[in-house]
């Protein structure tokens, strides 16, 4: 961990998640299979804090988010979230909803690609976690349900009304957020919600393959590409072009850019350093 970006030691163990790190790939598993990995207050907080820690950890070059058992994530726990929030005052409800948004901001803001490996249900907050990822790999059992209106809340929860139209278009997003109907894997692939549809039971394997490919690549270039994709969503073209120019000028002073030229000249694969 860089000494310039944090003073606290890394968390040795997470209560609500399983975290593994190998060859630059962090695998984060929602590990509550008997409840279809339903989220609790603690799980939200762990995800937020874990992503902040991993963003300071230069060993991480890609992250796979997956769920243990029969599904990816069934959303907020009915008893531990929905039931509990009924007794909270407005100030505490605002704190909670801001925390869930911080998880999405952490996924979008972390300097490495995030891949959601989806099987079974991805509902409510689970669907938004997958939506916030940079890549979504799913098997035929996957189904996405943005069910917020079905519990009497706005469909625009956790940034869904911002992200979903940018992924599938306004028409599909309106239908999915208004009606809260399931979107099964074939349709999800057709409308662009899923980037890769795998054979049954192979979403995790394919997500790991993609993560290893990304982790072996130019990490700084990936980080800046992700940052520009997010930043330029709301920019006019002139501002986006200026940001592109400044970013490319910076990267052209880096070791990876020089390494590509040397590798090309020597007719060998580049050895990316992420610098």
């Amino acid at each position: 961990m860089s000494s310039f970006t944090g003073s606290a030691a890394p968390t040795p163990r997470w209560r609500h998640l399983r975290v593994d790190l190998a060859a630059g790939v962090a695998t984060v598993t929602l590990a509550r299979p008997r409840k279809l990995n339903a989220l609790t207050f603690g799980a939200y907080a762990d995800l937020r804090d874990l992503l902040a820690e991993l963003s300071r950890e230069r060993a991480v070059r890609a992250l796979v988010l997956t769920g243990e058992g029969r599904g990816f994530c069934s959303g907020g726990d009915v008893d531990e979230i929905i039931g509990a929030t009924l007794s909270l005052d407005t100030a505490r409800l605002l704190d909670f909803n801001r925390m869930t948004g911080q998880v999405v901001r952490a996924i979008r803001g972390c300097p490495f690609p995030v891949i959601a490996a989806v099987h079974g249900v991805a509902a409510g907050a689970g669907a938004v976690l997958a939506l916030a990822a940079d890549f979504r790999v799913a098997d035929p059992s996957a189904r996405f349900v943005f069910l917020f209106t079905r519990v009497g809340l706005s469909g625009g929860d956790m940034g869904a009304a911002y992200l979903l139209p940018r992924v599938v278009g306004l028409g599909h997003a309106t239908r999915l957020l208004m009606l809260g109907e399931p979107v099964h894997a074939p349709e999800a692939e057709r409308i662009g919600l899923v980037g890769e549809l795998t054979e049954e039971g192979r979403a995790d394997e394919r997500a790991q393959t993609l993560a290893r490919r990304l982790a072996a690549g130019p990490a700084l270039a990936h980080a800046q590409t992700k940052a520009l994709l997010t930043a330029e969503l709301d920019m006019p073209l002139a501002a986006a072009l200026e940001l592109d120019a400044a970013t490319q000028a910076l990267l052209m002073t880096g070791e990876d850019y020089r390494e590509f030229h040397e590798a090309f000249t020597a007719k060998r694969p580049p050895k990316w350093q992420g610098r």
Side-chain angles (χ1 to χ4, degrees), residues 141-160:
S141 70
R143 62 188 188 279
F144 300 82
V145 195
F146 296 88
L147 48 65
F148 304 109
T149 59
R150 290 167 58 182
V151 301
L153 297 176
S154 164
D157 196 25
M158 295 175 63

Side-chain angles (χ1 to χ4, degrees), residues 120-141:
V121 68
V128 182
L129 292 180
L131 175 65
D134 302 290
F135 299 87
R136 283 163 295 284
V137 178
D139 82 3
S141 70

Side-chain angles (χ1 to χ4, degrees), residues 79-148:
D79 295 320
E80 297 191 39
I81 294 285
I82 297 177
T85 53
L86 293 175
S87 63
L88 299 182
D89 62 24
T90 302
R92 296 177 70 193
L93 289 170
L94 184 57
D95 286 343
F96 164 65
N97 283 284
R98 283 174 171 162
M99 177 176 69
T100 66
Q102 287 164 1
V103 175
V104 171
R105 290 179 64 181
I107 294 173
R108 295 304 313 146
C110 61
F112 42 76
V114 175
I115 305 156
V118 183
H119 68 285
V121 68
V128 182
L129 292 180
L131 175 65
D134 302 290
F135 299 87
R136 283 163 295 284
V137 178
D139 82 3
S141 70
R143 62 188 188 279
F144 300 82
V145 195
F146 296 88
L147 48 65
F148 304 109

Side-chain angles (χ1 to χ4, degrees), residues 54-71:
L54 294 181
S55 294
R56 299 191 294 268
E57 179 53 70
R58 291 179 178 169
V60 177
R61 296 190 168 204
L63 184 146
V64 173
L65 180 62
T66 187
E68 182 179 344
R70 296 181 294 114

Side-chain angles (χ1 to χ4, degrees), residues 169-238:
L170 181 59
H172 288 306
T174 301
R175 174 172 58 90
L176 300 186
L177 296 182
M178 286 278 192
L179 299 180
E181 294 176 344
V183 181
H184 295 275
E187 182 187 4
E189 182 186 35
R190 178 178 63 81
I191 66 177
L193 184 54
V194 164
E196 180 180 353
L197 188 58
T198 74
E199 296 176 1
E200 187 78 35
R202 296 194 63 189
D204 282 327
E205 176 188 341
R206 289 295 301 147
Q208 289 290 335
T209 299
L210 176 57
R212 288 193 295 270
R213 174 183 172 184
L214 290 163
L220 188 57
H222 291 160
Q224 291 304 308
T225 301
K226 177 173 180 174
L228 292 183
L229 283 167
T230 298
E232 293 182 12
L233 285 172
D234 301 309
M235 282 186 180
L237 178 60

